Amino acid sequence: MLVKWIRCTVVDRPGFERGQRKWAGLPGEPGFRGQGGGWSRGRPDVAHVFAFWESRAFYDSFMARSHDRLAAAQSGTYRDMQVRLFEHRFDVKVGFEPRFSDADVVRVAHCRVRPDRVDHFTLVQEKVWNPAMAGSPGMLRGVFGEAPGNEFLVLSMWDSAAEHGKYRVERVERLGLRAQTEADVAAIAGDVVRVESAWTVV
């Protein structure tokens, strides 16, 4: 599965949201699995969209054929768009599905990992972080993806911002020490995204 993460700064919110509804045409596209997103909780003008495709081949075909027609409705409503693609490595919790209907917030973490620490980083994601997240109240599902250049994406869906907040306060610092995160990660950026149900396409 391919995970696409889009982040942009919105300059025309009503226009952007109108354009976002045009993506309702996606379900007819071969290989499309789901899409959703919302607004950054920390920066209200920043939007995040997450799209899921069965494979890079299906995604490339869509980009060559239908993408520009659907995207035209949002032209001029945003700036500073960043797009990143990640190949699914494994689920966080079991049985990941690209559904957003039951999620209140999505936590996204983007990590650049030191080249000699990739194997260790991947192992502790599987053995330390994943079990901790999977066992946390309110954590619904998630995905761990990899991109060329030792870039990784950790995406987790939560049924409430409060439960995600408790997990951060109670567990993240302790787990980070155990996982030796500082030794593995050259840079980390992230956000907590308030899910907008109108943006969900399945």
Side-chain angles (χ1 to χ4, degrees):
M1 185 172 68
L2 187 76
V3 184
K4 181 179 186 178
W5 171 33
I6 305 157
R7 179 186 183 278
C8 62
T9 303
V10 174
V11 294
D12 171 7
R13 191 164 175 142
F16 184 87
E17 292 200 306
R18 276 196 306 275
Q20 197 60 39
R21 289 193 279 276
K22 300 288 187 188
W23 295 99
L26 277 170
E29 294 292 332
F32 174 73
R33 297 278 308 276
Q35 180 169 293
W39 299 102
S40 165
R41 294 193 71 203
R43 294 187 52 198
D45 58 339
V46 170
H48 295 265
V49 178
F50 308 98
F52 302 85
W53 294 82
E54 279 177 30
S55 70
R56 180 66 188 255
F58 278 123
Y59 170 75
D60 287 344
S61 172
F62 162 71
M63 291 299 290
R65 289 178 300 100
S66 309
H67 173 269
D68 290 359
R69 174 175 51 81
L70 292 170
Q74 283 176 306
S75 178
T77 65
Y78 59 84
R79 59 180 171 82
D80 304 332
M81 178 173 278
Q82 298 168 23
V83 178
R84 287 191 164 85
L85 301 174
F86 297 86
E87 289 287 348
H88 172 270
R89 284 285 302 272
F90 46 76
D91 294 347
V92 181
K93 217 163 179 175
V94 293
F96 178 80
E97 293 176 34
R99 287 189 295 114
F100 291 82
S101 56
D102 53 352
D104 180 42
V105 295
V106 174
R107 162 68 179 164
V108 56
H110 176 224
C111 305
R112 294 182 191 277
V113 177
R114 302 180 209 282
D116 59 329
R117 301 286 294 188
V118 166
D119 289 346
H120 181 264
F121 176 80
T122 305
L123 182 69
V124 295
Q125 184 64 43
E126 202 167 3
K127 303 295 186 193
V128 177
W129 290 105
N130 280 13
M133 265 197 278
S136 294
M139 192 278 184
L140 300 169
R141 68 190 75 84
V143 65
F144 178 75
E146 181 176 8
N150 307 319
E151 283 190 47
F152 294 86
L153 179 79
V154 185
L155 190 74
S156 56
M157 299 182 182
W158 298 76
D159 68 7
S160 77
E163 290 294 356
H164 175 256
K166 276 195 276 188
Y167 166 75
R168 281 179 71 174
V169 169
E170 293 169 7
R171 310 192 71 171
V172 167
E173 188 175 347
R174 191 174 76 248
L175 290 166
L177 292 171
R178 186 173 152 210
Q180 301 173 355
T181 302
E182 283 193 9
D184 289 350
V185 175
I188 185 166
D191 212 343
V192 178
V193 182
R194 192 181 71 250
V195 173
E196 290 285 341
S197 59
W199 299 10
T200 300
V201 186
V202 289

